[in-house]
Amino acid sequence: MLIGISGTKCSGRTTVARYLTYQGFKHISLEPSILNIDHKFEDEDELVDFVTKNYSENFVLSHIDNPVLLGKLSKRPFFLHLSLESSILKRHQRRCSKAGDISLEEFVIDCDKYTFDHKLIEISNLADITVINNHESINQLYAHLSNVNLLNPTRLRPSWDAYFMRLADLAALRSNCMKRRVGCVVVRDNRIISTGYNGTPRNMPNCNQGGCARCNSGNSSGNGLSTCLCLHAEENALLEAGRDRISTNSILYCNTCPCLTCSIKIIQSGIQEVVYSQSYSMDTLSYQALNSAGVKLRQYSPPQGGVM
């Protein structure tokens, strides 16, 4: 695994790299001025070749400030990009305590030059994880990094649950239901049988075009379902799959817990297990129905990503 760290000046890049060395990572760099480095390299290609040949080991690269290098590393399946952010006042405080007083204005000018010269905004926007480091102490930062769990292997290669749930989330983006976007994937032996998302039946106006009066009204979640014209994501996926393609080892992934009506249809179709990520107002009723029929229902919580 290679964790590459990008970030603004005094955001804590070296401190995070040190934390990772405590976890068994080797610190590598292209910067000759950085001390206590396990491996230093003359150019980007030498670094990329080295970590590729030694991909089974853990490395940390503490200063990614080159979009070209980031582009090369991002193609590797063992690379994780971590970006660090911190408030300007906190970074100014760190700079003064480390290297002597400097005015806030001078520090801002220096940071802006570094940020734009090295295209850090472009680089940070490509991060897999962004950590906000406004912590008062190194111990607090280390505790936060421990909770983030950077070493979770599913950050590099998603588990089957993460993979299919992401596909369900992607299917949900096709939905134009005015109430909520829901996506569903039915799989058997880790192979996709069908997908579905919620919306009005074919040949009818889309929900966001007024096709379903209930969804376009002010009714709260779970109310007036009997007048809803939208097919649910689970219904569409089950209809597409057909009873003959669903066996007792089939799993239904849905980004939202199925409602009671869909749960009954899931039972009848022969689905063995239902995995969902977001709760719904009928979770308890759905669980009771599915459980009574021997269908397993479980909630999947992927490792947190984005800004932390």
Side-chain angles (χ1 to χ4, degrees):
M1 183 181 195
L2 168 62
I3 296 181
I5 305 173
S6 65
T8 50
K9 280 197 168 186
C10 300
S11 58
R13 292 167 296 176
T14 302
T15 304
V16 172
R18 188 181 306 117
Y19 165 83
L20 289 170
T21 62
Y22 297 154
Q23 314 304 313
F25 280 66
K26 295 179 180 178
H27 196 172
I28 62 176
S29 179
L30 287 167
E31 300 288 338
S33 60
I34 300 179
L35 303 177
N36 301 318
I37 299 296
D38 294 294
H39 299 281
K40 290 187 179 181
F41 302 93
E42 296 293 330
D43 56 51
E44 300 161 4
D45 290 335
E46 183 185 2
L47 185 152
V48 173
D49 288 344
F50 176 82
V51 294
T52 301
K53 292 175 182 177
N54 298 278
Y55 70 91
S56 60
E57 299 181 45
N58 288 333
F59 300 100
V60 55
L61 177 62
S62 58
H63 291 70
I64 292 185
D65 53 12
N66 184 335
V68 176
L69 173 60
L70 177 61
K72 293 178 180 179
L73 292 174
S74 296
K75 297 175 183 177
R76 299 301 195 265
F78 51 80
F79 177 69
L80 182 74
H81 179 193
L82 168 66
S83 176
L84 289 173
E85 297 291 343
S86 185
S87 70
I88 188 68
L89 291 178
K90 180 63 68 176
R91 292 190 288 118
H92 177 245
Q93 179 185 9
R94 291 172 187 152
R95 165 62 177 79
C96 291
S97 64
K98 182 187 301 183
D101 289 343
I102 180 176
S103 72
L104 180 59
E105 181 179 1
E106 289 176 308
F107 182 69
V108 169
I109 292 172
D110 186 36
C111 287
D112 280 352
K113 185 178 187 307
Y114 180 79
T115 296
F116 289 101
D117 284 353
H118 294 278
K119 300 182 179 180
L120 287 187
I121 296 176
E122 174 186 335
I123 290 173
S124 63
N125 285 338
L126 298 174
D128 300 301
I129 304 171
T130 298
V131 170
I132 305 299
N133 178 22
N134 282 332
H135 301 283
E136 296 295 333
S137 69
I138 291 177
N139 287 338
Q140 289 179 355
L141 172 60
Y142 284 2
H144 180 61
L145 291 173
S146 178
N147 291 331
V148 170
N149 192 12
L150 294 172
L151 277 63
N152 188 325
T154 62
R155 295 195 182 281
L156 295 180
R157 189 187 190 204
S159 64
W160 286 117
D161 278 351
Y163 175 64
F164 291 125
M165 197 60 75
R166 287 187 190 180
L167 293 178
D169 286 333
L170 181 62
L173 295 180
R174 285 286 304 166
S175 170
N176 50 41
C177 177
M178 295 297 289
K179 286 296 184 184
R180 75 168 66 213
R181 283 176 158 180
V182 182
C184 179
V185 177
V186 177
V187 303
R188 183 180 64 202
D189 299 326
N190 291 331
R191 297 294 182 267
I192 297 172
I193 299 175
S194 65
T195 64
Y197 53 88
N198 56 328
T200 51
R202 64 180 63 192
N203 299 324
M204 291 184 62
N206 288 322
C207 186
N208 63 350
Q209 297 171 328
C212 177
R214 180 260 174 187
C215 288
N216 284 271
S217 70
N219 289 331
S220 59
S221 176
N223 292 324
L225 292 178
S226 61
T227 62
C228 182
L229 298 182
C230 289
L231 285 165
H232 289 192
E234 303 94 318
E235 292 176 309
N236 273 323
L238 293 175
L239 286 169
E240 181 184 338
R243 181 66 179 86
D244 293 339
R245 297 172 64 194
I246 297 175
S247 63
T248 54
N249 59 340
S250 295
I251 302 175
L252 183 145
Y253 287 87
C254 193
N255 68 343
T256 304
C257 185
C259 69
L260 180 59
T261 301
C262 284
S263 296
I264 294 171
K265 295 175 182 178
I266 289 169
I267 294 169
Q268 185 65 12
S269 71
I271 293 288
Q272 170 186 308
E273 183 177 5
V274 175
V275 184
Y276 70 97
S277 58
Q278 302 173 38
S279 294
Y280 187 53
S281 58
M282 297 184 181
D283 288 14
T284 301
L285 293 174
S286 297
Y287 170 78
Q288 291 173 348
L290 292 167
N291 184 61
S292 66
V295 179
K296 183 178 179 181
L297 175 68
R298 62 183 173 90
Q299 186 171 16
Y300 169 70
S301 298
Q304 186 179 358
V307 179
M308 291 179 282

